[in-house]
């Protein structure tokens, strides 16, 4: 009962602030009442603050600026813009992904898995070459697990040299298929399949390898 009364008081105060801060912009009372009605439906004060765009923690505020990209997603090589709109990660946020402040990261939010936030993070090896990871996090944005899903590496063999690369496909059920292949420097040679693996995200937020069923 006290929480409900506090929420109502908060909504009334918020409405007053919104009306005073509009500074002459032409928005009718219905607009603000609709916003307050949405805030009333929040279950906790934290939910209310988020719906109103109010944050105690700037880290939470930044993570909530990330647009959520829908699934499925297929590999687009190093062309990040074919995947979605990646946002540069501020240096102060790098540590949440286990990187030093000097790292150049970009991030994209994905739908939650078992109510756990999931992010795709691009580590920029240089200005055009990314290394992609999937991250699962807890409610405080502390990392639970990570999985590399795309990278390129130079490889020297006894009779050849070229690159190994990873491709990926993520289904709407978070079935993550990774394919690793080798491409010779001689582009007339076809790519050689090296390995293929499949992962899921389990209820603990961990990436768990599963068997690939042959059709």
């Amino acid at each position: 009962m006290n929480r409900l009364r506090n929420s109502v008081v908060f909504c009334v105060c918020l409405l007053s602030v919104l009306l005073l801060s509009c500074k002459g912009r032409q928005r009718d009372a219905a607009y603000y009442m609709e916003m307050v009605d949405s805030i009333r439906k929040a279950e906790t004060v934290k939910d209310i603050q988020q719906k109103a765009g109010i944050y105690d923690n700037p880290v939470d505020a930044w993570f909530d600026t990330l647009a959520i990209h829908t699934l499925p997603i297929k590999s687009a090589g190093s062309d990040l813009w074919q995947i979605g709109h990646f946002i540069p990660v501020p240096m102060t946020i790098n540590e949440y992904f286990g990187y030093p402040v000097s790292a150049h990261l970009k991030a994209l939010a994905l739908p939650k898995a078992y109510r756990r936030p999931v992010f795709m993070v691009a580590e920029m090896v240089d200005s055009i070459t990314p290394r992609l990871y999937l991250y699962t996090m807890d409610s405080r944005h502390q990392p639970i697990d990570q999985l590399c899903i795309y990278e390129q590496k130079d490889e020297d063999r006894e009779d050849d040299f070229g690159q190994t690369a990873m491709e990926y496909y993520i289904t709407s059920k978070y079935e993550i298929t990774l394919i690793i292949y080798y491409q010779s420097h001689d582009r007339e040679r076809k790519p050689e399949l090296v390995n293929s693996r499949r992962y899921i995200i389990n209820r603990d937020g961990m990436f768990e390898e599963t068997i690939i069923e042959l059709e």
Side-chain angles (χ1 to χ4, degrees):
M1 189 67 178
N2 289 333
R3 190 170 70 176
L4 178 60
R5 183 170 59 252
N6 291 338
S7 297
V8 172
V9 171
F10 180 85
C11 292
V12 172
C13 293
L14 176 62
L15 178 59
S16 300
V17 171
L18 290 171
L19 290 171
L20 289 173
S21 64
C22 68
K23 295 183 179 179
R25 288 178 291 180
Q26 297 300 314
R27 284 177 173 168
D28 56 25
Y31 170 86
Y32 294 104
M33 289 307 299
E34 182 179 350
M35 180 181 293
V36 171
D37 182 63
S38 174
I39 293 170
R40 282 201 189 102
K41 294 177 182 178
E43 294 181 356
T44 66
V45 172
K46 183 178 180 180
D47 291 336
I48 292 173
Q49 290 175 332
Q50 289 182 350
K51 285 180 178 293
I54 302 171
Y55 297 87
D56 292 330
N57 187 338
V59 173
D60 293 338
W62 182 82
F63 274 101
D64 279 353
T65 64
L66 299 178
I68 298 177
H69 191 289
T70 57
L71 300 176
I73 298 178
K74 64 179 180 179
S75 182
S78 61
D79 192 351
L80 297 180
W81 291 104
Q82 286 192 25
I83 304 172
H85 185 52
F86 282 79
I87 301 295
V89 178
M91 292 186 297
T92 54
I93 304 292
N94 281 2
E95 64 178 287
Y96 287 83
F97 297 109
Y99 283 88
V101 295
S102 58
H104 297 286
L105 307 179
K106 297 180 180 180
L108 179 73
L110 299 178
K112 290 184 177 182
Y114 297 108
R115 299 185 179 181
R116 301 181 188 277
V118 183
F119 300 93
M120 183 181 289
V121 176
E123 175 193 358
M124 302 308 297
V125 180
D126 53 44
S127 60
I128 59 173
T129 307
R131 183 181 292 120
L132 285 179
Y133 291 87
L134 292 181
Y135 276 79
T136 53
M137 291 187 162
D138 62 21
S139 59
R140 297 174 298 171
H141 296 116
Q142 295 299 314
I144 298 173
D145 201 5
Q146 67 184 73
L147 177 68
C148 182
I149 62 172
Y150 175 80
E151 66 175 338
Q152 292 183 347
K153 291 182 178 180
D154 293 332
E155 181 171 330
D156 292 326
R157 297 185 171 185
E158 292 183 0
D159 58 346
D160 193 25
F161 66 91
Q163 282 189 330
T164 56
M166 297 176 65
E167 302 290 345
Y168 60 89
Y169 184 78
I170 308 170
T171 72
S172 58
K173 296 181 179 180
Y174 272 120
E175 296 169 331
I176 306 156
T177 301
L178 304 180
I179 299 173
I180 304 172
Y181 64 89
Y182 170 78
Q183 175 62 63
S184 169
H185 74 285
D186 182 359
R187 295 297 172 173
E188 292 186 359
R189 296 188 184 183
K190 294 182 179 180
E192 173 190 332
L193 177 64
V194 176
N195 199 355
S196 59
R197 296 179 178 179
R198 180 167 294 167
Y199 296 84
I200 61 169
I201 301 177
N202 64 26
R203 292 183 177 275
D204 295 323
M206 305 293 291
F207 293 101
E208 180 181 314
E209 187 171 359
T210 63
I211 297 175
I212 297 179
E213 297 181 0
L214 299 177
E215 297 182 359

